[in-house]
Amino acid sequence: MLNIMGYGGPLGERLFQLVAKESGGGATYGRGTRDEVEEFIYQLCDVTGDGILSRSDLESVLASIHETIFAENKEAGECSVNRAFEASLNSAVFSKDAEGISEKSMSLSDFKNWCILMPSLRKLLGNLLMPPDSGRPGFEVPILHYPENIFNDFLLLNREYAWHIGGGFSQNEVQEWKLLYHSSLHGQSFNTFLGKVTNTDAQTVLIVKDTEGSVYGGYASLPWERHSDFYGDMKTFLFKLYPQASIFRPTGANRNLQWCAINFSSENIPNGIGFGGQPHHFGLFLSANFDQGHSFTCSTFTSPPLSKTNRFRPEVIECWGIQMRGAQEEKPEAVKGTVLERFKEDRNMLKMVGLASASD
């Protein structure tokens, strides 16, 4: 099996084929516009090279990604991994009629929309012509800290889900996540929740599993503090984890980002925590009793209802504190030369197939 820059399997082989096809294609991938790069990685994900991007192609791509960045993850069970990848596939749309097959395939437009919902995937595919590096955008997997006496299958969050959520953060941030609150451990109490999260990390990831089995939540970039109105900044976003995986960033339509109200008597100020939308019609909301919530279509994030029905009952509520460290303030120097010139460690292999001269 061919291997380029440390990537094996069908994704590595397809990458080699596309770079080998012509040096100009590799250069476009490395230095082209966003549209050109996305068209290149769209072709890359067609691992069979038949011009049809099918669900089985995406399954092969996700399997290669798992082998590359989660190979050392001995904690996650096969069921956990399968659920995470199933959710990623479920967010993909296949609208293109493919000649000779009954199933529809993914168009370039479908693929670009999938990349918006799956930013970690987009970042990783955009960096495949560089060696795998845990600090490179798309390869960063947050480090999860939780008590040793807790089994990882007890938690809603796993490393695959954390990788997906982390795609919504700035590119050069290395993250460590600490479990602050879990309703099964600390009790389903709003006051307990606030006590656990307000005195520690400012940035948090809130995750909810409802009684229908759906898992979703939001990233709060500012502390949870008592307010009578919306607050927050444009780093905040909503996400889905299961049965679909998606990230929904702020659109700028309004500034209704975070909501945290407690002990207000006015009906216009619902007590609880939430994200986006309007009072009583949030993108995501948990009541102050933590026994009910709702999720509606939301212009703040252009997000659909996160739950199967607009009103839901939470089964598990989990909150993680985010510690950012190692953010790089200086921009890296511009890379010079063609793609083939950059990767000197592969030139011997390229010379064997007569390609190295293409960049000289």
Side-chain angles (χ1 to χ4, degrees), residues 59-71:
E59 288 174 348
S60 296
V61 168
L62 291 171
S64 293
I65 289 173
H66 183 269
E67 180 64 25
T68 300
I69 63 176
F70 295 108

Side-chain angles (χ1 to χ4, degrees), residues 33-202:
T33 66
R34 183 180 180 88
D35 284 343
E36 289 172 335
V37 170
E38 289 186 345
E39 185 169 358
F40 188 94
I41 61 178
Y42 169 72
Q43 296 178 47
L44 170 65
C45 290
D46 173 19
V47 294
T48 58
D50 60 359
I52 299 172
L53 184 52
S54 65
R55 185 181 178 92
S56 62
D57 287 318
L58 296 190
E59 288 174 348
S60 296
V61 168
L62 291 171
S64 293
I65 289 173
H66 183 269
E67 180 64 25
T68 300
I69 63 176
F70 295 108
E72 302 301 320
N73 186 11
K74 305 301 182 183
E75 297 178 1
E78 183 177 349
C79 179
S80 173
V81 173
N82 289 343
R83 281 173 60 89
F85 284 170
E86 176 190 349
S88 299
L89 286 169
N90 287 345
S91 67
V93 172
F94 301 87
S95 65
K96 182 179 178 181
D97 290 318
E99 186 177 351
I101 63 172
S102 58
E103 294 182 337
K104 289 183 178 292
S105 64
M106 179 178 265
S107 68
L108 178 58
S109 177
D110 294 335
F111 181 75
K112 289 182 176 181
N113 290 333
W114 192 49
C115 286
I116 293 172
L117 298 176
M118 302 288 297
S120 283
L121 180 84
R122 169 62 180 82
K123 290 175 183 179
L124 184 144
L125 292 174
N127 280 283
L128 280 186
L129 282 180
M130 297 289 282
D133 183 338
S134 61
R136 181 169 294 115
F139 293 84
E140 304 132 316
V141 181
I143 301 169
L144 306 183
H145 298 287
Y146 50 90
E148 293 182 357
N149 60 345
I150 295 179
F151 293 105
N152 64 307
D153 57 0
F154 174 80
L155 302 170
L156 296 178
L157 187 68
N158 57 38
R159 295 184 72 223
E160 285 79 9
Y161 285 156
W163 175 73
H164 166 62
I165 298 169
F169 299 136
S170 299
Q171 288 192 351
N172 294 324
E173 292 172 333
V174 178
Q175 308 125 24
E176 294 191 10
W177 299 16
K178 179 182 178 182
L179 180 65
L180 302 178
Y181 170 83
H182 193 290
S183 56
S184 297
L185 291 174
H186 305 114
Q188 205 149 310
S189 163
F190 188 32
N191 288 330
T192 301
F193 169 84
L194 291 177
K196 293 288 185 181
V197 306
T198 55
N199 294 323
T200 52
D201 306 80

